[in-house]
Amino acid sequence: MTKLIIILLSAVFINNYVLSKFLGICPFLGVSKKLNNAVGMSIAVIFVMLIATAATWPIQHYLLDPHDLGYLQTIVFILVIAALVQLVEIVLKRYIPSLHRSLGVYLPLITTNCAVLGVTILNISENYTFIEAMVNSLGSGLGFLIAMVMFSGVRSAIEGNDIPESFKGLPVTLVAAAITSLSFMGFGGVIENLFA
Amino acid sequence: MRTVRNFTKGIIRENPVLVLVLGTCPTLATSTSVINALGMGAAATIVLVLSNIVISALRKVIPDKVRIPCYIVLIAGLVTAVQMLVKAYAPTLDESLGIYLPLIVVNCIILGRAEMFASKNKVFASAVDGFGMGTGFTLALFLMAAIREVFGNGTFCGIEIPVLAENKISILTMAPGGFMVFGLLIAVVNKIGRHKPQKTDFGCQGCPQAEVCSKIVCSDEKEAEGVD
Protein backbone atom coordinates (compact mmCIF):
# COMPACT_ATOMS: atom_id res chain seq x y z
CA MET A 1 0.00 0.00 0.00
CA THR A 2 2.80 2.39 0.94
CA LYS A 3 4.58 1.55 -2.29
CA LEU A 4 1.44 2.44 -4.27
CA ILE A 5 1.16 5.83 -2.59
CA ILE A 6 4.85 6.49 -3.20
CA ILE A 7 4.47 5.56 -6.88
CA LEU A 8 1.42 7.82 -7.20
CA LEU A 9 2.98 10.83 -5.50
CA SER A 10 6.31 10.55 -7.25
CA ALA A 11 4.63 10.26 -10.65
CA VAL A 12 2.65 13.41 -9.91
CA PHE A 13 5.35 15.58 -8.35
CA ILE A 14 8.94 14.33 -8.57
CA ASN A 15 9.00 12.58 -11.91
CA ASN A 16 6.34 14.77 -13.41
CA TYR A 17 5.91 13.58 -16.97
CA VAL A 18 5.92 17.00 -18.53
CA LEU A 19 8.25 19.00 -16.33
CA SER A 20 10.97 16.46 -15.57
CA LYS A 21 10.56 13.67 -18.10
CA PHE A 22 9.83 15.89 -21.11
CA LEU A 23 7.01 13.70 -22.38
CA GLY A 24 3.90 15.31 -23.81
CA ILE A 25 5.57 18.67 -24.51
CA CYS A 26 3.68 19.28 -27.76
CA PRO A 27 0.19 19.39 -26.21
CA PHE A 28 1.66 21.10 -23.16
CA LEU A 29 2.90 24.03 -25.23
CA GLY A 30 0.03 23.97 -27.69
CA VAL A 31 -3.10 23.51 -25.61
CA SER A 32 -2.27 25.20 -22.34
CA LYS A 33 -3.38 28.67 -23.38
CA LYS A 34 -6.99 28.40 -22.26
CA LEU A 35 -7.93 26.73 -19.00
CA ASN A 36 -10.89 24.85 -20.52
CA ASN A 37 -8.78 23.32 -23.25
CA ALA A 38 -6.04 22.48 -20.75
CA VAL A 39 -8.40 20.66 -18.40
CA GLY A 40 -10.22 18.86 -21.22
CA MET A 41 -6.95 17.71 -22.75
CA SER A 42 -5.60 16.49 -19.41
CA ILE A 43 -8.71 14.47 -18.59
CA ALA A 44 -8.54 12.88 -22.03
CA VAL A 45 -4.85 12.08 -21.40
CA ILE A 46 -5.60 10.43 -18.02
CA PHE A 47 -8.35 8.39 -19.63
CA VAL A 48 -6.19 7.23 -22.55
CA MET A 49 -3.23 6.44 -20.26
CA LEU A 50 -5.40 4.25 -18.04
CA ILE A 51 -6.98 2.23 -20.82
CA ALA A 52 -3.66 1.98 -22.67
CA THR A 53 -1.97 0.50 -19.60
CA ALA A 54 -4.92 -1.80 -18.96
CA ALA A 55 -4.53 -3.13 -22.49
CA THR A 56 -0.76 -3.19 -23.00
CA TRP A 57 0.35 -4.63 -19.63
CA PRO A 58 -1.50 -7.95 -20.11
CA ILE A 59 -0.35 -8.11 -23.74
CA GLN A 60 3.28 -7.76 -22.70
CA HIS A 61 3.13 -10.25 -19.85
CA TYR A 62 0.85 -12.89 -21.32
CA LEU A 63 1.54 -12.64 -25.02
CA LEU A 64 4.94 -11.13 -25.79
CA ASP A 65 7.14 -12.36 -22.93
CA PRO A 66 6.06 -16.05 -22.82
CA HIS A 67 6.68 -16.37 -26.55
CA ASP A 68 9.95 -14.42 -26.47
CA LEU A 69 8.56 -11.68 -28.71
CA GLY A 70 9.87 -8.76 -26.61
CA TYR A 71 11.27 -7.00 -29.67
CA LEU A 72 7.75 -6.47 -31.00
CA GLN A 73 6.94 -4.26 -28.03
CA THR A 74 7.16 -0.90 -29.82
CA ILE A 75 5.09 -1.93 -32.83
CA VAL A 76 2.42 -3.77 -30.85
CA PHE A 77 2.04 -1.05 -28.23
CA ILE A 78 1.62 1.80 -30.67
CA LEU A 79 -0.86 -0.17 -32.78
CA VAL A 80 -2.86 -1.20 -29.72
CA ILE A 81 -2.98 2.38 -28.45
CA ALA A 82 -4.03 3.77 -31.84
CA ALA A 83 -6.72 1.13 -32.32
CA LEU A 84 -8.00 1.48 -28.76
CA VAL A 85 -8.33 5.25 -28.97
CA GLN A 86 -10.17 4.95 -32.28
CA LEU A 87 -12.53 2.39 -30.72
CA VAL A 88 -13.15 4.55 -27.67
CA GLU A 89 -13.95 7.52 -29.86
CA ILE A 90 -16.48 5.51 -31.88
CA VAL A 91 -18.09 4.12 -28.71
CA LEU A 92 -18.28 7.55 -27.09
CA LYS A 93 -19.78 9.10 -30.20
CA ARG A 94 -22.50 6.45 -30.29
CA TYR A 95 -23.38 6.05 -26.63
CA ILE A 96 -22.28 9.16 -24.71
CA PRO A 97 -22.41 12.01 -27.25
CA SER A 98 -22.07 14.73 -24.60
CA LEU A 99 -18.75 13.30 -23.43
CA HIS A 100 -17.67 12.91 -27.03
CA ARG A 101 -18.35 16.57 -27.68
CA SER A 102 -16.16 17.73 -24.80
CA LEU A 103 -13.32 15.16 -24.91
CA GLY A 104 -13.51 13.72 -28.40
CA VAL A 105 -11.54 16.45 -30.11
CA TYR A 106 -8.40 15.67 -28.12
CA LEU A 107 -8.41 11.90 -28.53
CA PRO A 108 -6.73 11.69 -31.95
CA LEU A 109 -4.20 14.24 -30.79
CA ILE A 110 -3.14 12.05 -27.88
CA THR A 111 -2.74 8.87 -29.91
CA THR A 112 0.66 9.70 -31.30
CA ASN A 113 1.73 11.49 -28.17
CA CYS A 114 4.99 10.55 -26.44
CA ALA A 115 3.31 10.69 -23.04
CA VAL A 116 1.01 7.72 -23.59
CA LEU A 117 3.53 5.49 -25.35
CA GLY A 118 6.11 6.59 -22.79
CA VAL A 119 4.04 5.57 -19.78
CA THR A 120 3.23 2.14 -21.24
CA ILE A 121 6.88 1.40 -22.03
CA LEU A 122 8.04 2.71 -18.65
CA ASN A 123 5.57 0.49 -16.79
CA ILE A 124 7.20 -2.51 -18.40
CA SER A 125 10.80 -1.40 -17.93
CA GLU A 126 10.21 -0.65 -14.25
CA ASN A 127 8.76 -4.15 -13.77
CA TYR A 128 5.57 -2.99 -12.11
CA THR A 129 2.73 -5.34 -11.23
CA PHE A 130 -0.62 -4.63 -12.85
CA ILE A 131 -1.94 -2.57 -9.93
CA GLU A 132 1.32 -0.63 -9.67
CA ALA A 133 1.25 0.05 -13.41
CA MET A 134 -2.32 1.38 -13.24
CA VAL A 135 -1.44 3.59 -10.27
CA ASN A 136 1.63 4.87 -12.13
CA SER A 137 -0.47 5.77 -15.16
CA LEU A 138 -3.05 7.50 -12.99
CA GLY A 139 -0.26 9.45 -11.29
CA SER A 140 1.34 10.42 -14.60
CA GLY A 141 -1.98 11.65 -15.92
CA LEU A 142 -2.64 13.63 -12.74
CA GLY A 143 0.83 15.12 -12.94
CA PHE A 144 0.08 16.14 -16.52
CA LEU A 145 -3.16 17.73 -15.33
CA ILE A 146 -1.47 19.70 -12.56
CA ALA A 147 1.30 20.87 -14.87
CA MET A 148 -1.18 21.96 -17.57
CA VAL A 149 -3.48 23.81 -15.19
CA MET A 150 -0.62 25.60 -13.43
CA PHE A 151 0.95 26.49 -16.72
CA SER A 152 -2.22 27.91 -18.25
CA GLY A 153 -2.36 30.21 -15.23
CA VAL A 154 1.26 31.24 -15.82
CA ARG A 155 0.58 31.86 -19.51
CA SER A 156 -2.47 33.99 -18.86
CA ALA A 157 -0.38 36.07 -16.47
CA ILE A 158 2.27 36.58 -19.17
CA GLU A 159 -0.30 37.54 -21.80
CA GLY A 160 -0.83 41.13 -20.80
CA ASN A 161 2.86 41.97 -20.45
CA ASP A 162 5.33 43.74 -22.67
CA ILE A 163 7.40 41.02 -24.33
CA PRO A 164 10.48 41.70 -26.53
CA GLU A 165 9.86 41.01 -30.23
CA SER A 166 12.12 37.94 -30.60
CA PHE A 167 10.66 36.36 -27.48
CA LYS A 168 7.01 36.57 -28.49
CA GLY A 169 5.20 33.26 -28.79
CA LEU A 170 7.23 30.18 -28.01
CA PRO A 171 10.46 31.47 -26.37
CA VAL A 172 8.76 33.28 -23.50
CA THR A 173 6.50 30.24 -22.99
CA LEU A 174 9.55 28.01 -22.74
CA VAL A 175 11.28 30.30 -20.26
CA ALA A 176 8.10 30.29 -18.16
CA ALA A 177 8.08 26.48 -18.39
CA ALA A 178 11.69 26.49 -17.17
CA ILE A 179 10.71 28.38 -14.05
CA THR A 180 7.67 26.15 -13.47
CA SER A 181 9.90 23.10 -13.82
CA LEU A 182 12.32 24.64 -11.36
CA SER A 183 9.54 25.00 -8.81
CA PHE A 184 8.69 21.31 -9.18
CA MET A 185 12.28 20.38 -8.43
CA GLY A 186 11.55 21.50 -4.90
CA PHE A 187 9.52 18.35 -4.36
CA GLY A 188 12.56 16.12 -4.67
CA GLY A 189 13.35 14.28 -1.47
CA VAL A 190 9.93 14.91 0.07
CA ILE A 191 8.26 11.68 -0.99
CA GLU A 192 10.95 9.24 0.10
CA ASN A 193 11.09 10.79 3.53
CA LEU A 194 7.32 11.01 3.95
CA PHE A 195 7.04 7.45 5.20
CA ALA A 196 10.53 7.09 6.63
CA MET B 1 19.80 23.11 -58.12
CA ARG B 2 16.49 21.90 -56.75
CA THR B 3 18.00 18.94 -54.94
CA VAL B 4 20.48 21.11 -53.07
CA ARG B 5 17.69 23.53 -52.16
CA ASN B 6 15.58 20.60 -51.01
CA PHE B 7 18.40 19.48 -48.75
CA THR B 8 19.36 22.84 -47.29
CA LYS B 9 15.82 23.88 -46.46
CA GLY B 10 15.75 21.26 -43.73
CA ILE B 11 18.88 22.71 -42.15
CA ILE B 12 18.11 26.39 -41.88
CA ARG B 13 14.93 27.77 -43.41
CA GLU B 14 12.63 25.02 -42.22
CA ASN B 15 14.69 23.55 -39.41
CA PRO B 16 12.30 21.05 -37.81
CA VAL B 17 13.18 21.91 -34.22
CA LEU B 18 13.86 25.64 -34.25
CA VAL B 19 11.44 26.85 -36.93
CA LEU B 20 8.73 24.24 -37.32
CA VAL B 21 8.91 23.31 -33.59
CA LEU B 22 8.35 19.59 -34.15
CA GLY B 23 10.02 16.87 -32.11
CA THR B 24 10.46 18.94 -28.98
CA CYS B 25 10.35 16.00 -26.55
CA PRO B 26 13.55 14.24 -27.64
CA THR B 27 15.24 17.61 -28.14
CA LEU B 28 14.77 18.60 -24.52
CA ALA B 29 15.49 15.16 -23.14
CA THR B 30 18.56 14.02 -25.06
CA SER B 31 20.47 17.29 -25.34
CA THR B 32 22.18 16.91 -21.97
CA SER B 33 25.43 15.79 -23.54
CA VAL B 34 26.87 16.06 -27.02
CA ILE B 35 27.37 12.32 -27.50
CA ASN B 36 23.74 11.57 -26.62
CA ALA B 37 22.58 14.33 -28.93
CA LEU B 38 24.62 13.09 -31.88
CA GLY B 39 23.50 9.51 -31.25
CA MET B 40 19.85 10.49 -31.09
CA GLY B 41 20.19 12.69 -34.17
CA ALA B 42 21.86 9.90 -36.13
CA ALA B 43 19.19 7.36 -35.15
CA ALA B 44 16.35 9.72 -36.01
CA THR B 45 17.98 10.68 -39.34
CA ILE B 46 18.35 7.03 -40.36
CA VAL B 47 14.70 6.31 -39.51
CA LEU B 48 13.57 9.50 -41.26
CA VAL B 49 15.44 8.83 -44.51
CA LEU B 50 14.38 5.18 -44.70
CA SER B 51 10.76 5.87 -43.81
CA ASN B 52 10.58 8.69 -46.38
CA ILE B 53 11.98 6.36 -49.06
CA VAL B 54 9.59 3.50 -48.26
CA ILE B 55 6.51 5.69 -47.90
CA SER B 56 7.31 7.56 -51.09
CA ALA B 57 7.79 4.28 -52.94
CA LEU B 58 4.45 2.99 -51.66
CA ARG B 59 2.55 6.24 -51.93
CA LYS B 60 0.33 5.10 -54.79
CA VAL B 61 -0.47 1.79 -53.11
CA ILE B 62 -1.49 2.88 -49.59
CA PRO B 63 -5.21 3.80 -49.43
CA ASP B 64 -5.85 7.30 -48.19
CA LYS B 65 -8.18 6.39 -45.32
CA VAL B 66 -5.75 4.09 -43.56
CA ARG B 67 -2.58 5.97 -44.36
CA ILE B 68 -1.79 7.10 -40.81
CA PRO B 69 -1.89 3.58 -39.28
CA CYS B 70 0.16 2.33 -42.26
CA TYR B 71 2.81 4.99 -41.74
CA ILE B 72 2.91 4.21 -38.03
CA VAL B 73 3.45 0.49 -38.67
CA LEU B 74 6.24 1.21 -41.16
CA ILE B 75 7.96 3.68 -38.87
CA ALA B 76 7.57 1.38 -35.85
CA GLY B 77 9.18 -1.45 -37.79
CA LEU B 78 12.13 0.75 -38.75
CA VAL B 79 12.54 2.04 -35.20
CA THR B 80 12.55 -1.51 -33.83
CA ALA B 81 15.31 -2.42 -36.28
CA VAL B 82 17.36 0.67 -35.37
CA GLN B 83 16.77 -0.05 -31.66
CA MET B 84 18.16 -3.56 -32.04
CA LEU B 85 21.20 -2.28 -33.94
CA VAL B 86 21.93 0.32 -31.26
CA LYS B 87 21.47 -2.26 -28.48
CA ALA B 88 23.96 -4.55 -30.21
CA TYR B 89 26.66 -2.13 -31.34
CA ALA B 90 26.36 0.83 -28.96
CA PRO B 91 24.88 -0.41 -25.67
CA THR B 92 26.05 2.62 -23.67
CA LEU B 93 24.14 4.90 -26.05
CA ASP B 94 21.08 2.71 -25.62
CA GLU B 95 21.30 3.09 -21.84
CA SER B 96 21.70 6.86 -21.90
CA LEU B 97 18.91 7.41 -24.44
CA GLY B 98 16.55 5.21 -22.45
CA ILE B 99 12.93 5.34 -23.61
CA TYR B 100 13.61 8.10 -26.14
CA LEU B 101 14.90 5.60 -28.66
CA PRO B 102 11.57 3.75 -29.03
CA LEU B 103 9.80 7.10 -28.75
CA ILE B 104 11.23 8.06 -32.15
CA VAL B 105 8.12 6.23 -33.41
CA VAL B 106 5.86 9.07 -32.32
CA ASN B 107 8.34 11.80 -33.21
CA CYS B 108 6.28 14.46 -34.97
CA ILE B 109 9.09 15.14 -37.45
CA ILE B 110 8.95 11.67 -38.98
CA LEU B 111 5.17 11.41 -39.20
CA GLY B 112 4.96 15.02 -40.29
CA ARG B 113 7.43 14.68 -43.18
CA ALA B 114 5.77 11.42 -44.25
CA GLU B 115 2.41 13.14 -44.37
CA MET B 116 3.56 16.41 -45.86
CA PHE B 117 6.30 15.43 -48.27
CA ALA B 118 6.93 11.73 -48.80
CA SER B 119 3.32 10.92 -49.64
CA LYS B 120 3.32 13.48 -52.43
CA ASN B 121 6.80 13.34 -53.94
CA LYS B 122 9.15 10.95 -55.71
CA VAL B 123 11.56 8.64 -53.92
CA PHE B 124 14.79 10.56 -54.49
CA ALA B 125 13.33 13.92 -53.52
CA SER B 126 11.82 12.40 -50.38
CA ALA B 127 15.15 10.83 -49.45
CA VAL B 128 16.93 14.17 -49.85
CA ASP B 129 14.23 15.94 -47.84
CA GLY B 130 14.50 13.32 -45.09
CA PHE B 131 18.27 13.65 -45.00
CA GLY B 132 18.05 17.45 -44.84
CA MET B 133 15.48 17.42 -42.06
CA GLY B 134 17.46 14.82 -40.14
CA THR B 135 20.62 16.87 -40.48
CA GLY B 136 18.76 19.98 -39.30
CA PHE B 137 17.43 18.05 -36.32
CA THR B 138 20.91 16.76 -35.45
CA LEU B 139 22.36 20.24 -35.81
CA ALA B 140 19.79 21.80 -33.49
CA LEU B 141 20.31 19.01 -30.97
CA PHE B 142 24.09 19.43 -31.21
CA LEU B 143 23.79 23.17 -30.63
CA MET B 144 21.63 22.73 -27.55
CA ALA B 145 23.75 19.90 -26.20
CA ALA B 146 26.96 21.87 -26.74
CA ILE B 147 25.64 24.79 -24.68
CA ARG B 148 24.20 22.54 -21.98
CA GLU B 149 27.22 20.29 -21.65
CA VAL B 150 29.94 22.95 -21.89
CA PHE B 151 28.38 25.35 -19.41
CA GLY B 152 26.41 22.88 -17.34
CA ASN B 153 29.00 20.19 -16.94
CA GLY B 154 32.28 21.76 -17.97
CA THR B 155 32.96 18.99 -20.46
CA PHE B 156 32.66 18.54 -24.21
CA CYS B 157 32.13 14.97 -25.40
CA GLY B 158 33.51 13.91 -22.04
CA ILE B 159 36.69 15.97 -22.28
CA GLU B 160 37.05 18.41 -19.41
CA ILE B 161 37.50 22.11 -20.08
CA PRO B 162 39.88 23.86 -17.62
CA VAL B 163 38.04 26.90 -16.26
CA LEU B 164 34.47 25.79 -16.87
CA ALA B 165 34.77 22.41 -15.15
CA GLU B 166 35.26 24.04 -11.76
CA ASN B 167 32.44 26.54 -12.24
CA LYS B 168 29.59 24.38 -13.45
CA ILE B 169 26.10 25.76 -13.87
CA SER B 170 24.53 22.39 -13.10
CA ILE B 171 20.97 23.57 -13.56
CA LEU B 172 21.59 23.64 -17.31
CA THR B 173 21.86 19.87 -17.48
CA MET B 174 18.60 19.44 -15.56
CA ALA B 175 14.98 19.89 -16.66
CA PRO B 176 14.59 23.67 -16.16
CA GLY B 177 17.86 24.32 -17.97
CA GLY B 178 16.61 22.39 -20.96
CA PHE B 179 13.48 24.51 -21.31
CA MET B 180 15.46 27.70 -20.80
CA VAL B 181 18.19 26.96 -23.36
CA PHE B 182 15.58 25.85 -25.90
CA GLY B 183 13.56 29.03 -25.42
CA LEU B 184 16.61 31.26 -25.71
CA LEU B 185 17.79 29.41 -28.81
CA ILE B 186 14.44 29.93 -30.54
CA ALA B 187 14.53 33.61 -29.55
CA VAL B 188 18.00 33.93 -31.12
CA VAL B 189 16.79 32.20 -34.29
CA ASN B 190 13.77 34.54 -34.40
CA LYS B 191 16.05 37.53 -34.06
CA ILE B 192 18.43 36.40 -36.81
CA GLY B 193 15.73 35.46 -39.29
CA ARG B 194 12.85 37.91 -38.91
CA HIS B 195 11.63 37.10 -42.40
CA LYS B 196 11.12 33.41 -41.61
CA PRO B 197 7.57 32.07 -41.97
CA GLN B 198 5.49 31.61 -38.83
CA LYS B 199 4.79 28.18 -37.38
CA THR B 200 1.15 28.15 -38.46
CA ASP B 201 2.24 28.22 -42.10
CA PHE B 202 4.03 24.89 -41.89
CA GLY B 203 3.79 23.20 -38.53
CA CYS B 204 0.12 22.45 -38.27
CA GLN B 205 -0.17 21.07 -41.79
CA GLY B 206 2.69 18.68 -41.12
CA CYS B 207 1.01 17.18 -38.08
CA PRO B 208 -1.07 14.08 -38.84
CA GLN B 209 -3.92 15.32 -36.70
CA ALA B 210 -4.21 18.50 -38.71
CA GLU B 211 -7.97 18.22 -39.26
CA VAL B 212 -8.60 17.79 -35.57
CA CYS B 213 -5.92 20.09 -34.29
CA SER B 214 -7.05 23.01 -36.41
CA LYS B 215 -10.16 23.12 -34.30
CA ILE B 216 -8.38 23.77 -31.04
CA VAL B 217 -4.71 24.73 -31.44
CA CYS B 218 -4.24 26.46 -34.77
CA SER B 219 -7.53 28.32 -34.45
CA ASP B 220 -6.26 29.70 -31.14
CA GLU B 221 -3.08 30.85 -32.85
CA LYS B 222 -5.05 32.30 -35.79
CA GLU B 223 -7.19 34.19 -33.28
CA ALA B 224 -4.09 35.57 -31.63
CA GLU B 225 -2.55 36.55 -34.96
CA GLY B 226 -5.80 38.22 -36.04
CA VAL B 227 -6.09 40.14 -32.79
CA ASP B 228 -2.45 41.26 -32.99
Side-chain angles (χ1 to χ4, degrees), chain B residues 34-113:
Chain B
V34 177
I35 302 204
N36 287 353
L38 290 175
M40 180 71 185
T45 307
I46 295 174
V47 174
L48 186 54
V49 173
L50 289 174
S51 78
N52 265 16
I53 291 177
V54 175
I55 289 174
S56 176
L58 292 175
R59 73 184 182 281
K60 304 227 167 96
V61 177
I62 299 177
D64 192 60
K65 288 217 147 165
V66 290
R67 68 182 193 285
I68 300 291
C70 283
Y71 296 165
I72 292 182
V73 174
L74 277 161
I75 298 170
L78 283 167
V79 170
T80 310
V82 168
Q83 219 181 321
M84 287 199 255
L85 282 170
V86 169
K87 265 202 170 89
Y89 293 112
T92 41
L93 186 67
D94 178 57
E95 256 186 66
S96 43
L97 287 181
I99 51 160
Y100 294 98
L101 203 48
L103 283 180
I104 298 179
V105 174
V106 288
N107 192 324
C108 307
I109 302 178
I110 303 181
L111 264 172
R113 290 329 279 174

Side-chain angles (χ1 to χ4, degrees), chain B residues 148-166:
Chain B
R148 285 178 80 184
E149 196 186 350
V150 167
F151 292 106
N153 211 14
T155 62
F156 185 77
C157 292
I159 308 168
E160 293 224 346
I161 303 171
V163 177
L164 294 170
E166 285 109 49

Side-chain angles (χ1 to χ4, degrees), chain B residues 140-152:
Chain B
L141 262 150
F142 174 71
L143 217 62
M144 263 191 76
I147 298 176
R148 285 178 80 184
E149 196 186 350
V150 167
F151 292 106

